[in-house]
Amino acid sequence: MTNNMQMTRRTMLTGAAVAGALTPIIVATNAAKADDAHSTEALKPSRKPAVDLSKLPREKVELVKPPFVHAHDQKAKGGPKIKEFTLTIQEKKMVLDKEGTEINAMTFDGSVPGPLMVVHQDDYVELTLVNPETNTMQHNIDFHAATGGLGGGALTVVNPGDTTVLRFKATKAGVFVYHCAPPGMVPWHVTSGMNGAIMVLPRDGLTDGHGKPIVYDKVYYVGEQDFYVPRDANGKFKKYDSPGDAYEDTIAVMKTLTPTHIVFNGAVGALTGDNAMTAKVGETVLIIHSQANRDTRPHLIGGHGEYVWATGKFQNVPDIDQETWFIPGGTAGAAVYTFAQPGIYAYVNHNLIEAFELGAAAHFKVTGDWNDDLMTSVRAPSAS
């Protein structure tokens, strides 16, 4: 009976996704037939001649797990390239906190968020998307950096066992979200962890908007994720055998618009303690921060956003010396800071309830010499 129920649920979900995905195709096909019937040449869809990319150099990029970012040039060398990436979809159980709360996560390459991809403006992104036959769900990918085809979502619908290849030209400079977007199931897949970011650097590198180059020593990628875990009658978080089994209960929690967990990089404490991001006094760090679903307010306690692209678009002049910056849901932002003092810096969502009670917090562990001119204890705490 259980197996029958799982299969029925899987068939229902897959069928809904296929029906949704076919809708724009059916509409376009019917429109074309109508055009043929009326011989209205001006209304027929047209396609520009294919661009010959055969002579462009190709570069295969090995992605790494966030918060780390694969090696890349800050300034482009030579002309545009075809950057080849592979993402493998993994449906897996993940533990969110020290209490053992589980989520049936849907992920790109097994991490929440998925890996950060880096290219330069006018490069071509060529993505191989793999949905192993061991998965249970249909998936796709929507790049906010791409133009057309629902950001690639209309061209990349893959059932378990399928592989597809998408190529798009990175025409806009900035950091952008990507996420799974199967029709009829978009919020469920996104809030189950299936999102990441891509950084499209200007070919000449980052600047302050007035001609001054901005060069970073390190880059870290923080993906903020809201989870919606159902509870049982006693208030305990429930566990399920598969994403499909959790679907109805999870949707009900999602509709309350009240997350049970808001975390950085997949779990409470994923970027604290031994997992803290590291730097040295004098190092300039670029922090990429994405939130695919909800607004967020990053804040570096004890530091600043010296240059901030809150909506992540590098052709805009960055804000300077920000204490807290606002990143709208569905957006990736970027901030640069040169660490001036050693110590532990908390990096939080400055909705402090979400940071301290729900988990949206990380640490930077910075080494180096203390500068008394910047801060000193004039009198240690003591009884008067």
Side-chain angles (χ1 to χ4, degrees):
M1 182 66 177
T2 301
N3 289 337
N4 289 339
M5 178 62 72
Q6 289 176 337
M7 182 56 66
T8 301
R9 187 169 289 172
R10 173 182 171 182
T11 303
M12 175 191 69
L13 294 172
T14 303
V18 171
L22 288 177
T23 300
I25 298 173
I26 294 170
V27 171
T29 301
N30 289 340
K33 288 180 178 178
D35 290 346
D36 288 339
H38 292 90
S39 299
T40 312
E41 297 293 331
L43 295 179
K44 286 184 178 180
S46 61
R47 183 186 294 268
K48 289 186 176 181
V51 177
D52 182 9
L53 304 180
S54 62
K55 296 183 180 179
L56 288 186
R58 287 179 169 268
E59 181 179 324
K60 186 176 180 60
V61 180
E62 295 296 330
L63 294 169
V64 299
K65 182 180 178 180
F68 304 106
V69 180
H70 65 82
H72 60 274
D73 296 316
Q74 296 186 38
K75 289 186 178 181
K77 295 179 179 178
K81 297 179 175 67
I82 299 173
K83 297 288 188 75
E84 300 176 358
F85 301 91
T86 297
L87 285 176
T88 300
I89 297 160
Q90 294 184 32
E91 299 170 3
K92 57 186 287 189
K93 289 184 183 293
M94 295 180 67
V95 176
L96 301 185
D97 54 33
K98 63 182 180 181
E99 285 75 36
T101 305
E102 284 186 0
I103 182 78
N104 283 282
M106 293 182 266
T107 74
F108 291 105
D109 270 12
S111 66
V112 178
L116 182 74
M117 307 177 200
V118 183
V119 302
H120 289 89
Q121 192 171 14
D122 295 330
D123 282 344
Y124 290 84
V125 177
E126 189 167 287
L127 174 73
T128 299
L129 183 65
V130 182
N131 189 4
E133 61 182 6
T134 50
N135 286 339
T136 61
M137 294 291 163
Q138 185 182 77
H139 300 284
N140 67 351
I141 190 166
D142 168 3
F143 282 96
H144 289 194
T147 302
L150 303 177
L155 303 177
T156 56
V157 178
V158 280
N159 288 313
D162 287 350
T163 297
T164 188
V165 180
L166 173 74
R167 185 174 63 234
F168 69 90
K169 188 174 185 179
T171 59
K172 309 294 184 184
V175 281
F176 301 83
V177 164
Y178 66 78
H179 61 84
C180 189
M185 299 185 290
V186 178
W188 179 41
H189 282 233
V190 172
T191 59
S192 294
M194 212 164 179
N195 58 84
I198 182 170
M199 179 163 67
V200 183
L201 288 166
R203 298 199 70 78
D204 291 331
L206 299 178
T207 74
D208 66 351
H210 305 286
K212 178 185 175 182
I214 296 175
V215 178
Y216 48 90
D217 299 300
K218 289 186 174 181
V219 54
Y220 288 110
Y221 173 35
V222 177
E224 185 172 341
Q225 179 68 53
D226 47 319
F227 287 117
Y228 301 79
V229 185
R231 299 178 188 267
D232 62 20
N234 297 318
K236 301 292 186 181
F237 289 118
K238 299 174 70 174
K239 297 182 179 182
Y240 301 85
D241 290 334
S242 70
D245 287 338
Y247 176 72
E248 292 181 5
D249 291 347
T250 303
I251 291 295
V253 180
M254 288 164 52
K255 287 181 177 179
T256 69
L257 303 181
T258 304
T260 57
H261 298 74
I262 302 175
V263 300
F264 290 167
N265 290 43
V268 177
L271 297 178
T272 63
D274 292 341
N275 298 319
M277 297 170 283
T278 62
K280 298 177 182 178
V281 169
E283 283 191 325
T284 298
V285 176
L286 173 64
I287 306 168
I288 306 301
H289 190 125
S290 69
Q291 223 301 4
N293 191 58
R294 300 175 81 248
D295 300 341
T296 186
R297 305 154 187 82
H299 173 80
L300 180 63
I301 300 177
H304 303 88
E306 291 175 325
Y307 296 99
V308 176
W309 298 267
T311 57
K313 306 309 166 274
F314 294 138
Q315 299 299 346
N316 296 329
V317 176
D319 293 324
I320 61 173
D321 298 340
Q322 298 296 293
E323 55 182 316
T324 302
W325 44 103
F326 179 80
I327 299 177
T331 303
V336 171
Y337 181 63
T338 301
F339 285 94
Q341 294 277 43
I344 301 296
Y345 291 70
Y347 178 78
V348 301
N349 174 339
H350 213 291
N351 180 323
L352 297 178
I353 301 167
E354 296 179 358
F356 289 93
E357 300 298 329
L358 299 185
H363 288 160
F364 282 93
K365 187 182 297 182
V366 181
T367 57
D369 295 328
W370 183 266
N371 184 345
D372 278 337
D373 187 51
L374 292 175
M375 180 182 286
T376 191
S377 174
V378 177
R379 176 183 172 183
S382 63
S384 56

